[in-house]
Each structure stands twice: as C-alpha cells, then as structure tokens.
Amino acid sequence: MKVTTKEVRDVTSMIDDIIEDYKEKSSSEKRDWRTYEQQLAKRLRSAFKGLRPLVQEAVLSIKIVKCETRGADHKLTLEQRVLALLLKHLIGKSNREMSLMLIIFSWLSDIDVSYKTIERLYSDREVILVLHNLHVIMLKKKGIKKADCGGDGSGYGLSIKKHYATEAQKLKEKMKRSDGQNKKDKKCKNDKIKKKQLFVYSFVLMDINTRMYLAYGTSFKSEKEAFLSAIKMFKEMSIKIKIESLRLDRYYQQAYVKYLEEQLGKVSFYIIPKKNATVKGSWEWKRMLHGFVQDTQGFLKEYFKRNQCESGFAEDKKRTGWRLGQKKTRQG
C-alpha cells in the first residue's frame, strides 16, 4: 500500500469537480412530508413522555452533600429546575417569557419564580451534573458499544446581526485570499476579530446510525477549543464506546489525525485532504490518503455520511432556536 504526495495533490486539484459529479450521480430519496410530519409528531410525543422519568433517574443517580449553609433555599426542586431549563429550550422561550409561563403554571403547581431564577439555571452546578448524567443514561439505554461517527462544529450567535454560517463562509473566503499576505497583516486582522465576541462555538461527535450525540464541547474562543473539549468529555465518560470510523471537515488534517489516534486508538478516518496535503503523517493518515486516491467515489460515499451531523445541528437549531435567547423579543 503506497501513495505519493503527487498522487494526492492530483486528486485534490480536481476534488471540487469530483464532488459535484458525485452529488449529481448520487440518488437522494424524496421526503414524504405527510409521513415525515407523522413521524416527527410521534418522536416528539415519545420524547416528552420519556423526559421526566429520565430526569428523575438522572437526579437519583447523584448524591449532593451541601457544605455551604448560607443563602436562600431554592424555590424549585432539582428535578423542577432541570425540567424548566429543558422545556425553556424545547419551546424556544427567553428567560423572562419562561418565568411568565411558570407563573401561569402556578395556577396548577403553586410555582412562582422570577426570570432571574431561570437565568441562574445555566450556572447551577447541580443542574449541570444532572444534565451530564441524563446524557450518559440516554446513551446507555441506546446500547451503543461501537460507533461510526461524524464530527462537526457550529456557532450560536450572540448578536442577531450576525449569522454563523454566513460569517464562517466569509472567513473561509478571506483566508483563501490572504495566503500571500505577510504574518504581520494577518496578526492585525486576527487582533481586530478577537476584540468582539460574536459566537459561542460548539462541536459534537455524533453516532451516525442512532443520530445520538456521543460527546460535545463548547468554547467562547474557537471551534478548535470546542473540539478538544468534546474529545476530553468522550474519554472521561463512565461508559466506554469504541469509535470505529470518524468523518471530519478539511480543517482537521495530519496533526489532528495523529492526536485522535493517541486519544481514541485505531480509527478509520474520512477527511478530504487540503490541496497542499502531503503523505507525511501517521500510519492512519497514509492509509486514509491511499483510500482517497484509489477509490475516490467510495471515499466520498463514506465521507458524506457526515451530513447527518449538519442536519442534526440544523434540526436542533430550528427546534430550540437559532440564537441564545436571554431577553424578551421586541415587538414591532
């Protein structure tokens, strides 16, 4: 098994045309919207029905020992706090709107809290512990032992004036145009970008077969930090899942493949090489390049299974909101 840098670059120089041809030949099943709506409604009913028992199990799986006696007691139980936070995102409400809804619910449950109570749920360590346990419990119930994965990053806008996908594409185009600039000019531009925080970055590892997130990471700085956080979470989880294959975008090249080998063991990678790629790298990197050159169509078929991650992100954002709602939306 041998592949040269020239062979790799010959293919990458034509990769855009190859991908376009592949997509034209690939048959995609048309969605039956009537069946889709029925299946979606069924999934949502199942999710809402199973949510509370899962939260209860997650709460009971931890033991909290309070050492600090100062401060007021919570108006809501731990289970109620977790459910309030999850429901807030499921119905896409801001903190103020959710607190008003809880006032309405108080006619049945005697719950009366302010929007500050909802806001504090994000930094409530007990809630964070339960959410982590909830994630692990759901993975256990799915019975995932081995996984063919896709990894993808996204961003959540901190301003309604900026859209993540649009800004990310602009940055990619700017990077292509700035190849000939000196390092000083690049540094000045990067400093200007860093002055204003526009997004919260997120990265997930998804099991393609079950469409379950295996691990996730977030960062205020970059997608790279979110990626490293997701890998760290996956390694430290109490359940062990073997990743058989992994699909990532072009940003993740030789150094990342070597890092992932060290962290995850032997994994089959599907990453489209950059146009200046070389065969220098780990054994798995070379093996991946061999498959890329010798069977490009088969390689792309495996790589584009990663679209499950992108559609999963889009589905989550549409269902729970494209931005992080903290204030009540202005009318008019």
Side-chain angles (χ1 to χ4, degrees):
M1 185 175 72
K2 185 177 180 181
V3 64
T4 65
T5 295
K6 183 181 183 304
E7 289 175 319
V8 174
R9 292 186 178 181
D10 285 344
V11 178
T12 55
S13 65
M14 303 181 294
I15 192 62
D16 292 337
D17 293 330
I18 295 172
I19 290 174
E20 187 177 346
D21 180 64
Y22 170 81
K23 288 182 177 179
E24 287 179 359
K25 292 180 179 178
S26 299
S27 58
S28 56
E29 296 181 4
K30 292 185 178 179
R31 177 173 285 174
D32 183 342
W33 286 103
R34 182 183 61 83
T35 306
Y36 171 78
E37 294 292 344
Q38 291 175 345
Q39 291 175 343
L40 179 60
K42 184 179 179 181
R43 285 171 57 198
L44 289 175
R45 281 196 297 270
S46 176
F48 281 113
K49 186 177 180 180
L51 181 60
R52 188 170 185 180
L54 286 172
V55 171
Q56 289 173 337
E57 185 176 347
V59 170
L60 292 174
S61 65
I62 60 176
K63 182 179 180 180
I64 300 171
V65 179
K66 292 187 177 181
C67 299
E68 181 59 71
T69 58
R70 293 174 297 178
D73 293 333
H74 290 287
K75 290 185 177 181
L76 303 176
T77 65
L78 180 53
E79 179 187 333
Q80 288 173 328
R81 276 140 53 201
V82 174
L83 286 171
L85 184 60
L86 291 174
L87 289 173
K88 171 190 178 298
H89 284 280
L90 284 172
I91 61 180
K93 297 297 181 182
S94 69
N95 297 332
R96 290 184 185 274
E97 290 171 327
M98 190 63 189
S99 66
L100 292 174
M101 292 188 71
L102 288 178
I103 292 173
I104 297 174
F105 296 154
S106 70
W107 298 342
L108 299 173
S109 58
D110 294 327
I111 296 174
D112 184 6
V113 297
S114 69
Y115 80 95
K116 279 292 184 183
T117 300
I118 305 300
E119 197 167 84
R120 292 189 187 104
L121 295 178
Y122 290 95
S123 57
D124 189 322
R125 293 185 179 181
E126 295 177 4
V127 170
I128 293 171
L129 283 173
V130 173
L131 290 175
H132 177 81
N133 283 6
L134 181 63
H135 173 74
V136 174
I137 287 170
M138 288 191 291
L139 288 177
K140 284 182 178 178
K141 289 186 179 296
K142 282 289 184 179
I144 303 172
K145 302 296 182 183
K146 297 179 180 180
D148 292 306
C149 294
D152 195 21
S154 185
Y156 292 82
L158 299 177
S159 167
I160 60 173
K161 296 180 181 180
K162 298 290 183 180
H163 182 262
Y164 177 74
T166 304
E167 294 300 315
Q169 186 59 40
K170 286 181 182 178
L171 185 58
K172 288 177 183 177
E173 293 299 325
K174 188 179 291 186
M175 288 173 66
K176 289 179 181 178
R177 294 195 300 269
S178 64
D179 286 341
Q181 291 180 336
N182 59 48
K183 293 182 179 180
K184 185 177 179 181
D185 291 338
K186 288 183 180 180
K187 186 177 186 301
C188 291
K189 284 193 174 184
N190 290 334
D191 288 342
K192 289 179 181 178
I193 293 171
K194 289 178 181 178
K195 284 181 181 178
K196 189 172 183 181
Q197 183 65 45
L198 300 176
F199 304 102
V200 175
Y201 297 92
S202 175
F203 187 94
V204 299
L205 284 176
M206 175 189 276
D207 174 35
I208 293 170
N209 296 319
T210 61
R211 287 175 64 87
M212 289 286 291
Y213 293 157
L214 301 184
Y216 49 87
T218 58
S219 169
F220 282 99
K221 184 179 179 181
S222 66
E223 182 183 314
K224 176 185 175 181
E225 279 202 351
F227 161 78
L228 295 173
S229 178
I231 299 302
K232 182 180 179 182
M233 175 185 175
F234 180 80
K235 284 200 66 181
E236 293 179 352
M237 283 199 306
S238 58
I239 56 174
K240 299 302 177 184
I241 299 172
K242 176 70 175 73
I243 294 182
E244 300 280 312
S245 61
L246 181 56
R247 296 143 188 84
L248 300 170
D249 67 25
R250 295 188 202 190
Y251 174 80
Y252 301 92
Q253 297 286 304
Q254 290 105 310
Y256 288 97
V257 169
K258 183 179 179 181
Y259 169 77
L260 289 168
E261 279 187 78
E262 294 170 353
Q263 300 298 314
L264 306 176
K266 185 177 179 180
V267 177
S268 296
F269 292 95
Y270 296 93
I271 305 167
I272 295 178
K274 291 182 178 180
K275 292 184 179 180
N276 62 350
T278 69
V279 295
K280 293 180 180 179
S282 66
W283 169 250
E284 287 301 327
W285 173 255
K286 291 181 173 66
R287 192 166 77 127
M288 184 198 78
L289 291 181
H290 182 271
F292 173 74
V293 171
Q294 298 300 321
D295 183 16
T296 307
Q297 294 292 322
F299 184 93
L300 291 176
K301 184 177 180 180
E302 282 294 331
Y303 171 79
F304 280 115
K305 290 180 181 179
R306 177 176 164 270
N307 289 346
Q308 293 283 358
C309 297
E310 295 177 352
S311 64
F313 261 136
E315 186 177 337
D316 290 342
K317 284 184 174 181
K318 287 176 182 177
R319 185 168 298 155
T320 61
W322 288 90
R323 58 193 176 86
L324 303 178
Q326 297 294 322
K327 298 180 180 180
K328 186 175 180 180
T329 305
R330 290 185 179 182
Q331 302 296 325

